[in-house]
């Protein structure tokens, strides 16, 4: 009887323990779960952060075509939010369940340094190699590992509300001084309540948040750079860099031609251009797709960043030229199938389905020209490619340096520090980070 | 006179059935708590040990790690920003604890008396607890938005409405309000249970002695509620020290890091900045702070059992 009681206790304890741990250790759904063969198909996963609010919708025609041409491959696509990009990808790669194919930004060196991205050199054909410039291929290489195949290119241009500029007879500004004059003319109180409700310029990212790439172009346009030559400190803690930073932040702080950070909530700020309350704002070219979606009746155009005092003609109109590429995880067990997807996407007729829908440039300048022809907005974006400044490929850039610069900009825009102090403090932090 | 039996259960079992029976009894007991112990070790103890080890290393969530001794601890202790985040935690405690407990206690006193409407009010008061923090943050963000209902009311009475979430001075206030609204519910029900557990005899004696309601509260209710009040204060303090989700979903630590807490900083260091060693060191130091504060609270409120 007593032995039976002990046996029952043991069996019950075992059952309870098994039920507790039964939910653990499952293979991730979207990851490299071995040869996830289902019938005759091989499953691959593709992760990408969104460049549009309807990202998955824009990709669907591409995936439908891929499914037709490659019925043996089952593709699972996941849109991964930018806000948690670092956390999600770090956790997935560290946990051994990364996506087979991922869209990688300039932050890819982190994963190369950890041996998490496959060297794609053996896969790259001569034909593919010739499609892109050496500079583009270099931008996807880190520490001797070719980790990224170029896929898309983005440049920053200035979007403007045609009706507002025409109403006040304002010409497209070509220089900093003209930009300031235009913004001052276009900033006004339209309803007579004593508060400005139409702004000449807008400094936040079109999502409403602060992004360093709304202000950084002016640093380059003035002659500064993100990092100094030996990449040990900021490259704009000098006269040129401070001049550029002061110009752009003064648009908000001194001249008040751009709404202050606390004039609107983030959601309201997003709507300002769509509602005709902002005359001009600079952003990456795919912002045009968001404008078409959110304000289909708005008549808008685009022009190149106005020229700053940088003696280098191309960099005097410097803009943020982000480029992204496609990578394969080292832990992927279906690398051949993953490469099949990458090869498919880099074909002009396939990648263009998504890129055209999202107002983006192909990584290849020639393909972009063919794709966009004389499109009013995208031809400006294509012309801006030579002026795009590179983002440092140091693994610590996105995770540690970018937040320091972002905070520095916020301190200046909120008036808690003057430009020189903010830059000096940020430089001290960045030196410490880069010295590690 | 028969002597009182002071033997423990295990002694009784041993005396009546022998040592082996006692051992079998104990084995049954241990087997029953085994699943929970395994769960606790795997998901509580082991992570703490791993975090402790990581606190002496550099490296990120991906990539190799290097042993660096106390370097991470020195960096945390000599960097002023972490003290600012700890100060934020204390500000949240100072602002939310008294107000939250006062509201919870007051509503509990109201709910204590059962009536036909009690189920309705109990349900209504319980609702904030059922809403997720994400949904609650969205509600608060809307309520305190520039053109939201709060600012609309303020403008009606002639007060200049601020951009609550975008100003360093007011962003913290929104988080405190969110925390009180969401957390207060839980304490209401602890207080209600405690209030309903006080025997009526004490109040009857008080009535006979001529005590007024305020004297009843001070001399009868509060002393008998002491343990519950202490429990709620300690829990509230610990939760406010662990504040993360309301900051993450409402202000993301801004503006200008003014709402950032220590746990938020741990999250940022570990997952955004890829500095898991620093994040682990900050976790360990913060664990000590929480233990110290909890021990201090328990010590200061040590008292006799009331019944």
């Amino acid at each position: 009887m007593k032995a039976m009681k002990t046996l029952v206790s043991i069996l019950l304890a075992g059952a309870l323990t098994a039920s507790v741990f039964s939910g653990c250790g499952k293979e991730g759904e979207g990851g490299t779960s071995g040869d996830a063969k289902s019938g005759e198909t091989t499953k691959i996963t593709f992760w990408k952060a969104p460049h549009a609010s309807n990202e998955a919708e824009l990709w669907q025609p591409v995936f439908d075509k891929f499914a037709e041409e490659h019925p043996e491959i089952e593709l699972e696509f996941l849109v991964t939010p930018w806000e948690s990009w670092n956390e999600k990808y770090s956790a997935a790669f560290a946990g051994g369940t990364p996506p087979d194919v991922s869209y990688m930004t300039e932050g890819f060196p982190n994963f190369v340094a950890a041996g998490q991205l496959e060297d794609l050199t053996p896969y790259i054909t001569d034909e593919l190699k010739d499609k892109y410039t050496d500079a583009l291929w270099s931008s996807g290489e880190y520490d001797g590992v070719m980790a990224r195949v170029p896929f898309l290119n983005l440049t920053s241009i200035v979007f403007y509300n045609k009706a507002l500029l025409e109403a006040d007879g304002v010409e497209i500004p070509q220089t900093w001084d003209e930009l300031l004059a235009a913004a001052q003319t276009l900033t006004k109180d339209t309803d007579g309540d004593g508060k400005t409700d139409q702004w000449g310029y807008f400094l936040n990212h079109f999502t409403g948040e602060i992004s360093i790439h709304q202000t950084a172009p002016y640093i380059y346009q003035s002659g500064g750079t993100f990092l100094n030559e030996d990449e040990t400190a900021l490259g704009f803690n000098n006269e040129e860099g401070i001049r550029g930073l002061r110009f752009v932040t003064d648009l908000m702080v001194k001249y008040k031609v751009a709404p202050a950070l606390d004039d609107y909530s983030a959601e309201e700020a997003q709507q300002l251009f769509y509602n005709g309350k902002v005359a001009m704002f600079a952003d990456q070219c795919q912002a045009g797709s968001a404008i078409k979606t959110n304000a289909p009746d708005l008549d808008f155009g685009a022009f190149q960043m106005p020229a700053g005092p940088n003696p280098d003609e191309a960099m005097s109109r410097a803009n943020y030229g982000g480029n992204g590429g496609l990578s394969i995880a080292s832990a992927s067990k279906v690398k051949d199938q993953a490469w099949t997807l990458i090869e498919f996407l880099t074909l002009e007729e396939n990648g263009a389905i998504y890129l055209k829908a999202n107002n983006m440039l192909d990584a290849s300048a020639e393909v972009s020209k063919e794709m966009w022809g004389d499109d009013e907005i995208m031809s400006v974006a294509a012309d801006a490619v030579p002026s795009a400044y590179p983002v440092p490929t140091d693994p610590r850039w996105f995770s540690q340096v970018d937040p320091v610069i972002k905070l520095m900009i916020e301190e200046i825009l909120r008036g808690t520090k003057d430009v020189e102090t903010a830059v000096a403090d940020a430089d001290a932090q960045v030196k410490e980070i880069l010295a590690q | 006179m028969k002597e009182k039996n002071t033997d423990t259960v295990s002694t009784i079992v041993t005396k009546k059935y022998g040592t082996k029976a006692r051992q079998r009894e104990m084995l049954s007991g241990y087997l029953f708590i085994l699943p929970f112990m395994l769960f606790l070790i795997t998901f509580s103890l082991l992570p703490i040990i791993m975090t402790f080890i990581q606190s002496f290393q550099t490296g990120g969530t991906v990539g190799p790690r290097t042993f660096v001794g106390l370097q991470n601890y020195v960096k945390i202790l000599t960097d002023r920003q972490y003290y600012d985040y700890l100060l934020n935690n204390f500000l949240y405690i100072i602002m939310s604890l008294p107000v939250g407990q006062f509201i919870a206690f007051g509503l509990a006193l109201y709910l204590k008396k059962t009536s036909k409407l009690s189920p309705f009010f109990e349900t209504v008061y319980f609702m904030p607890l059922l809403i997720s923090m994400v949904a609650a943050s969205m509600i608060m963000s809307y309520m305190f938005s520039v053109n939201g209902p709060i600012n609309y009311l303020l403008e009606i009475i002639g007060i200049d409405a601020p951009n609550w979430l975008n100003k360093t001075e007011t962003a913290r206030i929104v988080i405190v309000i969110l925390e009180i609204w969401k957390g207060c519910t839980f304490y209401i029900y602890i207080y209600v249970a405690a209030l309903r557990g006080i025997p009526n005899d004490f109040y009857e004696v008080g009535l006979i002695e001529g005590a007024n309601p305020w004297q009843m509260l001070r001399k009868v209710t509060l002393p008998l509620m002491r343990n519950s009040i202490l429990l709620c204060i300690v829990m509230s303090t610990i939760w406010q020290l662990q504040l993360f989700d309301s900051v993450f979903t409402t202000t993301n630590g801004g503006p200008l890091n003014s709402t950032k807490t220590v746990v938020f900083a741990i999250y940022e260091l570990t997952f955004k900045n890829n500095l898991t060693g620093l994040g682990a060191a900050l976790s360990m130091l913060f664990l000590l702070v929480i233990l110290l504060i909890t021990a201090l609270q328990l010590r200061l409120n040590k008292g006799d059992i009331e019944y």
Side-chain angles (χ1 to χ4, degrees):
Chain A
M1 183 64 188
K2 284 167 186 162
M4 179 64 82
K5 188 178 163 187
T6 308
L7 181 63
V8 168
S9 307
I10 293 168
L11 286 172
L12 199 55
L16 283 169
T17 311
S19 67
V20 163
F21 289 102
S22 65
C24 305
K26 260 189 188 166
E27 291 289 351
E29 281 182 46
T32 51
S33 50
D35 270 30
K37 292 198 196 296
S38 147
E40 292 173 2
T41 61
T42 303
K43 188 174 163 187
I44 61 170
T45 51
F46 174 30
W47 288 8
K48 186 183 171 295
H51 285 99
S53 55
N54 56 340
E55 182 78 12
E57 209 180 287
L58 297 178
W59 274 105
Q60 199 52 53
V62 186
F63 296 148
D64 289 341
K65 194 175 176 203
F66 181 75
E68 264 177 51
E69 291 182 24
H70 297 280
E72 76 284 4
I73 299 175
E74 186 191 327
L75 174 61
E76 188 181 287
F77 177 62
L78 183 68
V79 179
T80 52
W82 286 110
E83 306 83 54
S84 54
W85 192 94
N86 230 3
E87 299 94 289
K88 186 153 182 85
Y89 282 71
S90 298
F93 277 90
T97 55
D100 299 298
V101 178
S102 47
Y103 170 81
M104 281 282 169
T105 62
E106 296 90 341
F108 76 96
N110 237 348
F111 300 98
V112 174
Q116 303 280 8
L117 292 180
E118 184 75 1
D119 188 342
L120 300 175
T121 311
Y123 295 94
I124 297 169
T125 59
D126 290 337
E127 199 185 329
L128 187 61
K129 193 93 172 113
D130 290 338
K131 188 182 173 191
Y132 306 111
T133 61
D134 288 342
L136 267 174
W137 281 113
S138 300
S139 72
E141 189 179 1
Y142 179 75
D143 213 20
V145 175
M146 180 57 69
R148 234 178 31 155
V149 172
F151 177 59
L152 62 84
N153 213 353
L154 299 167
T155 52
S156 293
I157 50 182
V158 182
F159 294 93
Y160 72 97
N161 183 319
K162 286 184 181 174
L164 292 182
L165 265 69
E166 274 165 26
D168 282 318
V170 173
E171 298 286 328
I172 303 286
Q174 299 297 328
T175 64
W176 280 9
D177 289 340
E178 288 176 16
L179 175 69
L180 175 59
Q184 284 175 318
T185 305
L186 292 160
T187 300
K188 51 179 82 170
D189 168 18
T190 59
D191 57 9
D193 65 351
K195 292 182 189 169
T196 305
D197 47 34
Q198 180 180 299
W199 304 91
Y201 204 67
F202 185 68
L203 269 184
N204 294 17
H205 189 259
F206 79 95
T207 59
E209 295 171 1
I210 295 171
S211 162
I212 69 173
H213 296 299
Q214 261 53 50
T215 43
Y218 296 88
I219 292 172
Y220 278 83
Q221 290 166 18
S222 179
T225 54
F226 266 140
L227 295 178
N228 61 3
E229 246 182 77
D230 51 9
E231 296 194 350
T232 55
L234 290 178
F236 57 89
N237 188 9
N238 48 47
E239 192 186 318
E240 293 85 3
I242 287 176
R243 175 177 58 191
L245 200 52
R246 177 172 286 116
F247 172 77
V248 64
T249 53
D250 274 353
L251 292 175
M252 182 187 288
V253 175
K254 183 178 171 186
Y255 299 110
K256 300 193 193 308
V257 297
L261 292 182
D262 52 13
D263 277 350
Y264 301 95
S265 64
E267 293 72 27
E268 288 159 347
Q270 282 181 52
Q271 301 294 322
L272 288 174
F273 187 78
Y274 306 149
N275 294 337
K277 299 295 181 190
V278 157
M280 302 178 285
F281 79 102
D283 213 312
Q284 291 180 299
C285 51
Q286 92 274 14
S289 171
I291 299 170
K292 285 178 197 165
T293 306
N294 291 286
D297 297 328
L298 184 67
D299 190 13
F300 70 100
F303 56 87
Q304 295 255 19
M305 299 288 292
N310 192 328
D312 181 313
E313 201 185 318
M315 293 316 286
S316 70
R317 291 181 183 267
N319 67 90
Y320 171 44
N323 62 70
L326 302 168
S327 302
I328 297 177
S330 303
S332 172
K333 294 188 171 69
V334 287
K335 292 191 180 78
D336 289 342
Q337 289 81 354
W339 179 254
T340 303
L341 174 66
I342 291 179
E343 214 171 26
F344 174 87
L345 293 176
T346 49
L347 289 173
E348 289 96 90
E349 63 268 26
N350 300 327
I353 298 172
Y354 166 74
L355 295 173
K356 274 209 87 168
N358 210 4
N359 263 53
M360 289 170 148
L361 301 168
D362 191 284
S364 158
E366 279 151 26
V367 170
S368 284
K369 230 177 198 167
E370 231 177 88
M371 195 164 55
W372 290 107
D374 292 325
D375 182 276
E376 188 189 347
I377 307 293
M378 295 310 289
S379 56
V380 174
D383 289 343
V385 169
S387 301
Y389 59 74
V391 173
T393 51
D394 189 299
R396 295 160 295 188
W397 177 263
F398 276 103
S399 58
Q400 295 176 52
V401 178
D402 184 292
V404 170
I405 299 177
K406 207 186 258 196
L407 185 65
M408 173 201 79
I409 293 167
E410 192 180 355
E411 286 167 341
I412 299 169
L413 293 177
R414 288 191 187 274
T416 56
K417 284 185 187 175
D418 60 73
V419 177
E420 287 84 357
T421 309
V423 172
D425 290 349
D427 196 18
Q429 289 181 65
V430 169
K431 276 178 182 157
E432 210 182 302
I433 291 168
L434 297 177
Q436 289 166 12
Chain B
M1 198 164 82
K2 196 176 178 183
E3 278 183 14
K4 192 176 175 182
N5 189 350
T6 56
D7 286 345
T8 60
V9 170
S10 52
T11 311
I12 293 168
V13 168
T14 308
K15 280 180 180 172
K16 192 169 179 183
Y17 301 108
T19 310
K20 277 196 179 163
R22 181 170 165 243
Q23 284 173 347
R24 276 198 292 271
E25 193 93 15
M26 284 173 66
L27 180 62
S28 298
Y30 283 127
L31 286 173
F32 274 112
I33 65 169
L34 182 65
F36 173 75
M37 290 308 295
L38 285 175
F39 189 85
L40 188 71
I41 290 166
T42 307
F43 294 106
S44 289
L45 195 59
L46 268 178
I48 293 175
I49 294 168
M50 286 169 66
T51 303
F52 181 69
I53 294 168
Q54 263 183 33
S55 68
F56 298 104
Q57 300 171 329
T58 56
T61 43
V62 291
R65 296 202 181 104
T66 320
F67 178 77
V68 290
L70 294 173
Q71 181 183 293
N72 290 330
Y73 287 96
V74 170
K75 200 161 182 183
I76 302 274
L77 291 169
T78 53
D79 192 334
R80 191 222 150 116
Q81 66 178 326
Y82 300 110
Y83 294 95
D84 289 339
Y85 304 151
L86 186 62
L87 182 64
N88 279 347
N89 275 109
F90 287 134
L91 282 172
Y92 289 133
I93 292 171
I94 290 166
M95 289 195 282
S96 68
L97 198 151
V99 175
Q101 295 306 312
F102 182 77
I103 292 173
F105 195 80
L107 289 173
L109 283 173
Y110 176 74
L111 280 180
K112 177 196 165 192
K113 292 177 197 167
T114 52
S115 68
K116 283 184 188 167
L117 286 175
S118 291
F120 169 74
F121 284 114
E122 285 178 16
T123 309
V124 167
Y125 293 150
F126 200 68
M127 286 185 102
L129 204 60
L130 300 175
I131 301 172
S132 71
M133 185 51 86
V134 173
S137 300
M138 286 176 70
I139 293 169
M140 277 296 153
S141 298
Y142 164 68
M143 295 284 289
F144 286 94
S145 62
V146 173
N147 295 315
I150 301 287
N151 280 359
Y152 178 72
L153 290 171
L154 287 174
E155 275 173 18
I156 287 177
I157 58 175
I159 297 176
D160 251 345
N163 189 339
W164 293 87
L165 288 168
N166 229 326
K167 276 182 139 46
T168 55
E169 303 85 3
T170 52
R172 282 192 205 110
I173 296 173
V174 176
I175 290 179
V176 166
I177 293 172
L178 172 60
E179 284 290 319
I180 290 172
W181 178 65
K182 192 102 172 54
C184 176
T185 307
F186 177 77
Y187 305 117
I188 292 174
Y189 289 92
I190 293 183
Y191 287 139
V192 165
L195 281 168
R196 288 180 181 164
I198 298 174
N200 262 332
D201 301 346
F202 290 97
Y203 294 110
E204 283 167 11
V205 168
L207 278 172
I208 291 167
E209 296 289 322
N212 59 39
W214 172 240
Q215 286 170 325
M216 291 276 218
L217 181 69
R218 266 181 52 227
K219 303 284 188 185
V220 178
T221 309
L222 285 177
L224 291 174
M225 293 275 294
R226 189 184 171 133
N227 282 348
S228 304
I229 294 172
L230 174 61
L231 171 71
C232 289
I233 289 174
V234 170
M235 283 171 67
S236 179
T237 304
I238 293 172
W239 284 349
Q240 290 303 310
L241 284 169
Q242 294 174 341
L243 194 57
F244 169 75
D245 45 2
S246 53
V247 172
F248 181 79
T249 50
T250 314
T251 60
N252 206 29
L256 283 176
N257 293 339
S258 60
T259 57
K260 209 182 268 193
T261 58
V262 174
V263 175
F264 193 96
I266 291 169
Y267 154 78
E268 264 196 345
L269 283 171
T270 309
F271 295 108
K272 282 189 178 281
N273 302 148
N274 225 15
L275 297 166
T276 48
L278 263 186
L282 186 56
S283 301
M284 288 289 110
L285 286 170
F286 197 50
L287 175 63
L288 287 176
V289 169
I290 294 177
L291 288 172
L292 200 68
I293 291 171
T294 308
L296 197 66
Q297 278 185 325
L298 291 170
R299 180 121 177 97
L300 285 173
N301 289 283
K302 211 168 153 185
D304 297 325
I305 307 293
E306 288 76 22
Y307 290 103

